Every structure is written in structure tokens, then in C-alpha cells.
């Protein structure tokens, strides 16, 4: 039996535990959440032992830890697990600041245990097919990529940690982080960043956010990224890559689109299911097989480093070299 402890029993904690409870040989053994009602729900639903701290949970005889708490709490929960040499799954972003993230990377390297970061899009069958087509080289020499990521149903109000930029990092660290990770996965290391952003400006009548950024990769590709949190308008996601031979597009639909010069546009049907189940299956397999997870702490750090560079660029109105 693989015994899992949950730190943070909110929306994502519930999502992951529901999936884990359906995997053979997995039990939700412990939970820590400072909100008693949230912890009690996990205890009543899954029989999890309620713990009074992340450290107590890490010492409760479990085999792995899910850190699903708010971003500012990721460091505390993940560190407690790593100090107990327990495998960790941490929701994205890895941390809110560079110092905490670097500390976790150093501690994880010493602990030598699996450490996954919650970039769920990498686990989706649609995204894997997208990467397979990209890796085939069919696009030829790469030129640019567009990422379009508006959220028109943002409803958080003042007082929620999601409306405090210093806690959540706004749409840059919480939302755009997914596609920054995908771009890193596809294009390799980034060279420089330039961004403009609202940075969840508290002077707005209601919390909202907008970011436009350009990330230039070491292979020469230019990636234009737009992301927003608004209370109206469209909600969508799109990633399109252009090369000398054509373009490849992935959006929220159940197909990919590929256009190669001289040929009709091709629609490629794909499985459009969420990658959450595959993500949890990978984490459990990594614990049992004592292997690296498909998305590692290094991937989490690389995405965060670009996000922090976007914030720095927007605040100082300058290009940030990486």
C-alpha cells in the first residue's frame, strides 16, 4: 500500500485525492490544512489522519506528499517532506520567490527523492501528440510561437490570496506558468525576457490582471505570450508554432491543426481529456519505482525563473537576460 499525505485540502487537493483514491494500492493516509473544515472533509471522506503541521504529516509514516496549499506555503510543505526524505508532488508554481525555490532545489538534490511539479498539460494526450509532431521536425527551421491565454471569468475578490500579487504572482506565475513550461519543454533554454504587465494593480476597481511578454530562446525562436484575468470577454487558450515549412496549433478543442506549405490544412483528432489522472499515476509510479518524475523540480524552477524575469522586466521596464 502506498500511503499519501496531503498538505492543502482545497480545490486542487480535492482534485488530486479523488484521482489517487481510485488508483489500486493507494490510500490517503494523512492531511494537514489549517482550516479545520477542509481537513475534516479529507478525514471523513478518505479516513486520513488529521495532522497539526506539515512537519507532523511528514513524520506520520507516509510514502509521499502532495503539496496543494497556496503558493506562499509551498516552501514550508515541500521542505518538511524533503527533510523527511519523502517524494513530493508540488502544485505550480514551485514557489513565489527565488530564494525559496533555490532552497528547495538544493534540498531536493540532497534528498535524492522524486519531486514532481504540477504542470498537468504535459501529461495530456493532446499535448503529447503536439510534441510528437513538433519533434518530427516537420515545421523546419523555427521562427516564432504565439501563446494566447485569456481568462474572462476571473471572480476573486479583495481578501482572497489570489488577488494579492505578492502572494500569487498574478497571471504570470499562476496561469502563464503552464505555457512557459510547455515552451521550455519544446524549445529548450530561454535567453532573454521583456514584459509589460498590470501586476494585479490594486488601483483597479476590481482585481484583474494582464501580461504581454516576449521570451527569446537560445535556438533563436521568439515566443510571444499573452495572459489575462478579466471578469468578462473570452476564455481560451492557444499555442501556435511557426517554422519555415508551416505552422502547428493547439487550442482548447479536441483536435490539433497543422498547415504545411503547399498542402491543405490538416485537422488531427486527439484525446482532449485532462492530464490529471496521468499526472497522479506518474507520481505514484515514481514513488514505487524510485525514479524521476516526468516533470521534475528542475522544470518547475525553469518556469519560475522566466516568470520572475517577466515580473522584473515589467517593474523595471527593461529586457532581462537569463
Amino acid at each position: 500500500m502506498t500511503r499519501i499525505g496531503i498538505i492543502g485540502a482545497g480545490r486542487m487537493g480535492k482534485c488530486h485525492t479523488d484521482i489517487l483514491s481510485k488508483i489500486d494500492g493507494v490510500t490517503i493516509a494523512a492531511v494537514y490544512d489549517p482550516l479545520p473544515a477542509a481537513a475534516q472533509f479529507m478525514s471523513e471522506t478518505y479516513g486520513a489522519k488529521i495532522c497539526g503541521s506539515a512537519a507532523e504529516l511528514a513524520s506520520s509514516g507516509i510514502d509521499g506528499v502532495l503539496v496543494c496549499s497556496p503558493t506562499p506555503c509551498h516552501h514550508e510543505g515541500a521542505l518538511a517532506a524533503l527533510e523527511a526524505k519523502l517524494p513530493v508532488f508540488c502544485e505550480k508554481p514551485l514557489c513565489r520567490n527565488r530564494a525559496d525555490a533555490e532552497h528547495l532545489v538544493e534540498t531536493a538534490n540532497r534528498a535524492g527523492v522524486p519531486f514532481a511539479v504540477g504542470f498537468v498539460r504535459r501529461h495530456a494526450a493532446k499535448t503529447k501528440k503536439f510534441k510528437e509532431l513538433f519533434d518530427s521536425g516537420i515545421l523546419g527551421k523555427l521562427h516564432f510561437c504565439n501563446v494566447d491565454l485569456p481568462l474572462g471569468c476571473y471572480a476573486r475578490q479583495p481578501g482572497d490570496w489570489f488577488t494579492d500579487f505578492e502572494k500569487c504572482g498574478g497571471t504570470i506565475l499562476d496561469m502563464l506558468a503552464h505555457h512557459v513550461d510547455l515552451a521550455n519543454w519544446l524549445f529548450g533554454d530561454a535567453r532573454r525576457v521583456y514584459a509589460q504587465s498590470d501586476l494585479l494593480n490594486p488601483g483597479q476597481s476590481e482585481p484583474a490582471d494582464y501580461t504581454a511578454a516576449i521570451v527569446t530562446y537560445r535556438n533563436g525562436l521568439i515566443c510571444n505570450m499573452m495572459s489575462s484575468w478579466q471578469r468578462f470577454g473570452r476564455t481560451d487558450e492557444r499555442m501556435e508554432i511557426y517554422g519555415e515549412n508551416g505552422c502547428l496549433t493547439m487550442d482548447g478543442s479536441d483536435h490539433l491543426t497543422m498547415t504545411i506549405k503547399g498542402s491543405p490544412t490538416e485537422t488531427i483528432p486527439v484525446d482532449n481529456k485532462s492530464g490529471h489522472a496521468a499526472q497522479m499515476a506518474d507520481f505514484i509510479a515514481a514513488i514505487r519505482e524510485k525514479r524521476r518524475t516526468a516533470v521534475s523540480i528542475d522544470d518547475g524552477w525553469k518556469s519560475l525563473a522566466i516568470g520572475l524575469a517577466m515580473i522584473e522586466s515589467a517593474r523595471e521596464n527593461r529586457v532581462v537576460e537569463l
Side-chain angles (χ1 to χ4, degrees):
M1 187 64 71
T2 304
R3 297 165 55 83
I4 300 297
I6 310 295
I7 297 176
R11 180 175 64 90
M12 293 313 302
K14 289 176 180 176
C15 171
H16 296 319
T17 49
D18 179 62
I19 292 167
L20 287 170
S21 69
K22 297 177 174 64
I23 298 177
D24 287 345
V26 173
T27 184
I28 311 303
V31 60
Y32 164 60
D33 193 303
L35 297 177
Q40 189 64 33
F41 172 85
M42 288 290 181
S43 178
E44 293 175 355
T45 305
Y46 303 106
K49 173 189 174 184
I50 297 176
C51 298
S53 67
E56 180 185 341
L57 179 137
S59 63
S60 63
I62 55 179
D63 302 303
V65 175
L66 264 64
V67 179
C68 305
S69 50
T71 299
C73 307
H74 286 182
H75 178 263
E76 176 192 9
L79 184 63
L82 290 174
E83 288 178 340
K85 290 187 165 44
L86 290 172
V88 178
F89 171 89
C90 181
E91 265 302 336
K92 55 77 204 163
L94 179 60
C95 292
R96 177 58 184 86
N97 63 67
R98 179 180 298 271
D100 283 350
E102 290 178 340
H103 186 209
L104 285 186
V105 171
E106 292 169 1
T107 308
N109 288 340
R110 288 197 304 270
V113 294
F115 193 119
V117 177
F119 289 125
V120 65
R121 283 167 172 78
R122 279 216 214 177
H123 295 272
K126 177 170 70 175
T127 313
K128 291 178 180 178
K129 181 63 177 179
F130 186 73
K131 188 172 191 299
E132 176 189 322
L133 292 168
F134 174 81
D135 286 345
S136 74
I138 195 169
L139 298 182
K141 179 180 172 58
L142 299 176
H143 289 310
F144 65 92
C145 172
N146 291 323
V147 171
D148 184 57
L149 201 61
L151 179 68
C153 54
Y154 183 72
R156 307 280 184 157
Q157 292 293 335
D160 189 317
W161 73 274
F162 259 113
T163 68
D164 185 335
F165 186 81
E166 298 309 317
K167 291 181 179 179
C168 75
T171 189
I172 292 175
L173 295 190
D174 187 78
M175 189 172 177
L176 192 53
H178 280 294
H179 282 75
V180 170
D181 173 66
L182 291 182
N184 292 344
W185 192 37
L186 294 165
F187 311 137
D189 292 336
R191 175 180 294 165
R192 67 177 66 92
V193 172
Y194 179 71
Q196 296 285 277
S197 177
D198 287 339
L199 302 175
L200 264 175
N201 183 347
Q204 299 174 104
S205 59
E206 286 186 296
D209 204 5
Y210 174 79
T211 295
I214 300 172
V215 182
T216 305
Y217 283 80
R218 295 192 180 276
N219 64 2
L221 180 137
I222 301 167
C223 190
N224 303 286
M225 299 187 177
M226 184 284 284
S227 184
S228 65
W229 283 345
Q230 297 295 329
R231 296 170 186 276
F232 42 79
R234 66 191 177 96
T235 294
D236 198 4
E237 65 174 84
R238 173 180 292 263
M239 186 175 198
E240 51 186 11
I241 305 170
Y242 284 77
E244 61 182 353
N245 296 335
C247 66
L248 179 63
T249 302
M250 174 173 61
D251 55 26
S253 68
D254 59 357
H255 62 268
L256 305 176
T257 303
M258 184 166 64
T259 304
I260 301 301
K261 286 191 300 186
S263 301
T265 295
E266 183 179 358
T267 299
I268 304 163
V270 289
D271 179 347
N272 197 29
K273 292 180 182 177
S274 162
H276 285 297
Q279 180 176 241
M280 286 297 101
D282 176 69
F283 181 57
I284 296 302
I287 293 174
R288 292 170 174 173
E289 298 166 15
K290 296 181 171 56
R291 62 160 173 84
R292 189 180 179 90
T293 52
V295 184
S296 71
I297 190 171
D298 293 331
D299 299 313
W301 163 243
K302 288 178 180 179
S303 175
L304 178 64
I306 291 175
L308 293 175
M310 289 179 184
I311 294 170
E312 182 180 349
S313 175
R315 281 180 165 159
E316 299 181 10
N317 192 29
R318 66 179 180 88
V319 173
V320 175
E321 300 287 340
L322 296 170

